[in-house]
Amino acid sequence: MTMMEKQPRWLPDISQRPGPRYRAIAAALRDDIDSGALPIGAKLPTHRDLAWRLGVTVGTVTRAYAEAERGGLIGGEVGRGTFVRDPRPAEAPGDDSGIIDLSVNALTQHPNEDRLRRALASLAERNDLSGLMHYPPVNGSARHRQAGALWIEQTTGLAVDPARVLPTAGGQNAMHLALAAITRPGDSLLVEQLSYPAVKPLAGLLDLRLVPVAMDGEGLLPDALEQAADAHGAHALYCMPRLHNPTTVTQGAERRRAVMATCRRAGIRVVEDDVYGFLADGPDLQPLAALDPERVLFLTSLSKNLMPGLRTGFLLCPPPLMDRVRTLLRATLLGVNPLGAELAAEFILSGAALESATQRRALVAERQAQARRLIPGATSDTACPHLWLNLPEPWRREDFARALLARGVRVTPADAFAVARGDTPHAVRVCIGGVERTDLLEQGLRTVAALLAEPAAMGESFV
Ligand SMILES: Cc1ncc(COP(=O)(O)O)c(C=O)c1O
C-alpha cells in the first residue's frame, strides 16, 4: 500500500504476490484494511483508475473488488463509489453473540442515517461555522434554545419561552442538572416505585435517598405521594407521567392535577421526564410543567427520536432556578458540545425531527401490533417502544429472564427498575424498538410467548 490522500489514490504493490492478479489485488486490499492503512469508510479508486495505474485490465479490478465485496470488506453505493465497510454487524446489539437483545430501550438507528447525512451536508455548506468552534455560551446559543423550545412545543403542545430552555448533553445530563438543582446531599428523592434505572446511580452520586411511591394503572398515587413526602421530609420528585419506563403507563389529566395539587401542598419540586413523549398519539395531555411552571423542571431528549449518539436533550427550567442550573452546567461541562446542539437544531428547525417522530410512531405501532399477535396477553400502551409483561403464576421474574436468555433472548426483569426491596412485581420489560430486523424480533417474541405458555422452570438450587 502506498497512500491514502484526500483523493482516492490507493495503489497496492502486487508485484510480489503470487497467483492471478485479481486475487493479488483482493489480498492486498484485505491486508491494508487489516493494518488500518485503509480505514473504515475510505473511498477506493474507481475500477478504471486503479486498472490504469496498476497496468491491468478493468475486468481484473472489477473481479478483485467483487471478491472483496463478497467477503464483506468493501461495499458499493450507487453514484458514490466503493468504500471500506464497517465489519461490525449493523444489526441489533447482541446479534453477533447470537442473542436477540430485547433489553435495550433504543429505537432502530437505520432510518436516520440519511437524515444525519443531510444535516451534516447542510452544515458543511454554511459560512458561519466559526461560531461553533469556540466555547459555547453556557446556556447554548439563541438558535439552540429556540430549537429546544420548538421541540418541546411540537411534542407537548406547550408554547415556551426559549429563554427558559437549556440545551443539555442528552436526557441523562438534564436529569443530573435538574436533580442537583433542587436537592442537597442527604435529601430524600421521591420516585415512582418502579423507575428508570439510571436514577439510582445519579441518586448515589448526589447522595440522595430514594423513596418509592406506590403507583396504580394511572401512575403515581397522590395519597401515597403525600404520605411518603411527610414521612421522609422530601421536597423533590422525579417522575415520568407519559409512557412511563418501564410500566408504559400515562397519567390522565385528573391524576396529573391531583399529583400537582399534592406537590403544591407539600412543597415538592418536580423533575418531569418526557423522553418518550414524542411517541404519544397527540399532545392533548398537558405536561406537569404546564400545570405549575414554577415548580416543574421538564426534560426531553432527541436520543429516542433521532439517535442517542447525538447526546442532545433540553431542560425547561423555572426562571428562579436558571442560575443554579447554569452554574452546574458550567462547572461540569463548561457548555454543551455546540456541534451536537447545532445538528439537533438543524434536525428540529428543518422539520426532520418531526418527520422522524411520525415515522417512529408508525414503527412502534406496527411492532406493538406484531407483539400483540404473538403475545395476546400483552397490555402495554401501544405507543410505547416496549412491553411490560406481568408473568403468570408461578413464574418468578428472575427465573423467567434466565430461562429466556438460555433460549437466546434477553429481557429485563422488574428488579432493574425497583428502587427499594420488596413489592417488586413479577414482570419483565421487553423492548421491541431496537432490533433492526423484524424477523429477529418475531423470533424473539415467539420465544417469549412460548416460554409464557410453559410451566415455570425450576430454579438452579433445588436440593
Ligand atoms: C426515562 C428515561 N430518561 C432518560 C433517558 C436518557 O436519555 P438520553 O439518552 O437522552 O440521555 C432514558 C434512556 O433510556 C430514559 O429511558
Side-chain angles (χ1 to χ4, degrees), residues 160-172:
V160 296
D161 177 1
R164 287 181 54 209
V165 177
L166 286 150
T168 65
Q172 191 67 27

Side-chain angles (χ1 to χ4, degrees), residues 170-172 175 196 238 240 245 273 275-276 301 303-304 311:
Q172 191 67 27
M175 268 172 83
Y196 169 47
Y238 164 75
M240 293 161 272
N245 180 11
D273 184 335
V275 303
Y276 297 101
S301 140
S303 293
K304 312 294 173 180
R311 305 310 307 133

Side-chain angles (χ1 to χ4, degrees), residues 79-306:
R80 296 187 63 230
T82 306
F83 297 86
V84 176
R85 282 187 50 181
D86 185 344
R88 287 167 300 186
E91 288 301 342
D95 277 2
D96 51 344
S97 62
I99 299 290
I100 300 175
D101 195 341
L102 306 183
S103 73
V104 182
N105 222 356
L107 281 114
T108 57
Q109 298 312 306
H110 191 64
N112 277 328
E113 243 179 73
D114 269 349
R115 290 195 178 95
L116 177 59
R117 204 169 276 123
R118 280 199 296 273
L120 286 167
S122 140
L123 222 66
E125 273 169 18
R126 290 201 350 219
N127 58 8
D128 59 351
L129 293 185
S130 64
L132 304 177
M133 294 166 72
H134 300 286
Y135 285 111
V138 74
N139 45 341
S141 71
R143 180 174 153 86
H144 300 164
R145 289 195 299 276
Q146 189 203 343
L150 180 60
W151 178 241
I152 293 171
E153 183 172 356
Q154 285 172 336
T155 54
T156 67
L158 182 64
V160 296
D161 177 1
R164 287 181 54 209
V165 177
L166 286 150
T168 65
Q172 191 67 27
N173 174 231
M175 268 172 83
H176 181 196
L177 295 168
L179 291 175
I182 61 166
T183 60
R184 293 280 180 276
D187 280 359
S188 293
L189 174 64
L190 302 157
V191 283
E192 285 135 331
Q193 64 189 120
L194 296 167
S195 188
Y196 169 47
V199 75
K200 292 190 256 186
L202 259 184
L205 280 173
L206 296 171
D207 194 14
L208 305 175
R209 201 151 36 94
L210 290 176
V211 176
V213 180
M215 305 165 70
D216 66 5
E218 279 222 58
L220 276 175
L221 286 163
D223 287 349
L225 180 63
E226 189 140 16
Q227 274 164 24
D230 275 356
H232 295 268
H235 296 288
L237 164 70
Y238 164 75
C239 62
M240 293 161 272
R242 197 151 62 147
L243 301 178
H244 176 261
N245 180 11
T247 64
T248 84
V249 159
T250 289
Q251 281 178 19
E254 263 309 302
R255 180 62 62 89
R256 285 170 189 233
R257 275 194 287 277
V259 164
M260 286 317 297
T262 301
C263 289
R264 264 191 298 280
R265 266 199 308 280
I268 298 169
R269 281 208 175 103
V270 182
V271 177
E272 177 179 17
D273 184 335
D274 194 48
V275 303
Y276 297 101
F278 70 96
L279 288 168
D281 273 346
D284 46 353
L285 271 176
Q286 284 200 308
L288 303 184
L291 300 179
D292 196 337
E294 295 298 311
R295 191 171 293 285
V296 180
L297 295 90
F298 173 96
L299 69 93
T300 178
S301 140
L302 294 182
S303 293
K304 312 294 173 180
N305 181 34
L306 283 153

Side-chain angles (χ1 to χ4, degrees), residues 374-376 389-396 399-409 443-458:
L374 298 167
I375 311 173
L389 286 184
N390 283 302
L391 303 174
E393 283 276 8
W395 270 114
R396 302 179 64 78
D399 294 338
F400 188 81
R402 203 178 307 118
L404 210 48
L405 192 58
R407 294 182 186 193
V409 179
Q443 189 185 326
L445 292 173
R446 279 190 191 285
T447 311
V448 173
L451 192 61
L452 278 171
E454 284 180 21
M458 229 183 239

